[in-house]
Amino acid sequence: MPELAEIEHLRQTLEPHIVGARVAQLRLYRPDIVRQCTDRSPAGRIAPKALLSGRRIARLARHGKQLAILSDEGPVVCVHLGMSGQLIYIPRGARLPRTDHVHCLWRLEQKSSTGRMVFRDPRRFGGLWAYESEEALLSDRWSQLGPDALSVTTRQLRPRLARTSRSIKAALLDQSLVAGLGNIYVDEVLFRARIDPRCPADLAAVQSAELARSIRATLKAAIAGGGSTIRDYVDASGRQGAFTEQHAVYGRGGQPCVRCGTPLEAIRIAQRTTVFCRACQGP
DNA sequence: CGGTACGCCTGAAGGC
DNA sequence: TGCCTTCAGGCGTACC
């Protein structure tokens, strides 16, 4: 369940290891983990086998929950971790803790060292996408995403929420409205903003301002805490996130509210377990 | 066309 | 102990 906070923390921990490295060898153990691009025209696509083979890695970019590995020469690999995906850097001589469900491996050469980067994903809800350029990615997959949640403003958020008849919980999970929130952080954000997850997404001005602030603040704190590990998430070095312990509501159904002590309610909204405080997040 | 339901997939956890 | 069922959920797709 890596969401924006986990991907951003991954980006920050992975970048120093791989930027400047050349992809000396690529092993694609499971070719079907390379997914079809939405744009079916051949122009923006490259062969799956060319996943940065021979390229020098220039930088890492992120939008919402998606990560992009960009090369100096232009080609780009977009990575989505889905539910259980991991992108791990293994320095020379080090061992990968688990080698099952490794779908892709990049052998990386630096001036002074070599290493490997692997994509593991037991559940295979994640995937890789190959593009010939950053522009091709931006006009294809990333064009379908709303503004990035880490910097989303009230001005961006309110009109988008006003266009739907769904609950606020369901709307915030929709990546085309705002990109980066999943089930964990939607619940955390709504608790912080004192908004009932069942209420219509068409919020009043004051509430949408508080919501935008809560989204940015919650994600910033989670990134600083190294993200949340529920089961599978680890950063580039294989370390688990420490923010899980700071969750106010997610995974705490039946337990007392940290603010008022009322037992937290666990219900289902839009097919997702939703935990909230009936007292604090009242109408 | 907006909204909802379901399937994909594995592993952990709980019941008997 | 071991087998079976249930649950977790991001997202694409089928369908109303």
Side-chain angles (χ1 to χ4, degrees):
Chain A
M1 35 215 88
E3 306 178 24
L4 185 150
E6 289 72 39
I7 305 304
E8 178 57 23
H9 186 251
L10 173 66
R11 194 188 69 76
Q12 291 173 12
T13 55
L14 188 59
E15 195 159 48
H17 288 119
I18 69 167
V19 164
R22 193 179 67 87
V23 178
Q25 190 189 26
L26 173 79
R27 303 216 102 141
L28 187 56
Y29 300 106
R30 234 200 127 97
D32 63 354
I33 206 70
V34 182
R35 313 293 187 184
Q36 285 277 332
C37 300
T38 315
D39 177 9
R40 297 296 168 94
S41 69
R45 298 213 309 265
I46 57 172
K49 278 188 177 173
L51 290 167
L52 300 180
S53 275
R55 312 295 185 185
R56 190 171 299 278
I57 293 168
R59 65 191 170 91
L60 299 183
R62 181 195 57 73
H63 192 97
K65 305 173 188 174
Q66 301 186 40
L67 189 72
I69 306 171
L70 300 101
S71 69
D72 281 333
E73 298 87 350
V76 172
V77 167
C78 175
V79 183
H80 197 296
L81 298 187
M83 280 290 296
S84 60
Q86 302 173 331
L87 204 53
I88 301 174
Y89 179 77
I90 311 152
R92 185 191 183 91
R95 296 263 300 265
L96 184 66
R98 294 189 65 162
T99 54
D100 56 336
H101 305 298
V102 170
H103 307 312
C104 191
L105 182 150
W106 294 262
R107 190 168 297 281
L108 303 174
E109 276 182 7
Q110 299 271 18
K111 280 186 200 129
S112 55
S113 66
T114 61
R116 292 169 292 163
M117 179 172 70
V118 300
F119 177 62
R120 269 194 88 228
D121 186 9
R123 271 177 249 194
R124 273 180 281 135
F125 281 15
L128 305 173
W129 287 260
Y131 291 95
E132 59 149 23
S133 67
E134 183 177 11
E135 289 68 35
L137 167 64
L138 292 175
S139 67
D140 187 66
R141 272 188 80 70
W142 286 14
S143 70
Q144 295 157 35
L145 299 173
D148 191 74
L150 187 56
S151 56
V152 73
T153 61
T154 315
R155 196 182 286 260
Q156 292 171 321
L157 196 59
R158 199 175 174 217
R160 286 163 183 276
L161 294 177
R163 280 202 297 263
T164 180
S165 62
R166 286 177 288 179
S167 67
I168 187 66
K169 162 97 185 195
L172 290 177
L173 286 170
D174 185 339
Q175 302 300 298
S176 70
L177 296 183
V178 55
L181 299 173
N183 203 38
I184 297 171
Y185 292 110
V186 166
D187 281 8
E188 294 299 317
V189 159
L190 291 174
F191 176 78
R192 184 189 279 249
R194 300 181 188 246
I195 296 170
D196 189 320
R198 300 165 296 180
C199 79
D202 188 6
L203 298 176
V206 185
Q207 276 193 310
S208 60
E210 182 55 34
L211 179 61
R213 269 197 299 276
S214 297
I215 291 172
R216 297 189 302 261
T218 302
L219 292 175
K220 275 187 191 115
I223 293 164
S228 306
T229 297
I230 302 305
R231 182 171 302 164
D232 298 298
Y233 173 72
V234 293
D235 69 15
S237 302
R239 279 189 272 272
Q240 302 199 331
F243 191 72
T244 319
E245 297 152 31
Q246 291 181 52
H247 290 168
V249 285
Y250 181 83
R252 296 194 63 243
Q255 296 177 42
C257 169
V258 294
R259 211 147 47 195
C260 74
T262 304
L264 295 173
E265 201 93 15
I267 61 171
R268 242 173 132 74
I269 302 176
Q271 271 68 256
R272 301 295 201 291
T273 301
T274 302
V275 185
F276 70 110
C277 176
R278 227 173 249 280
C280 293
Q281 295 166 261

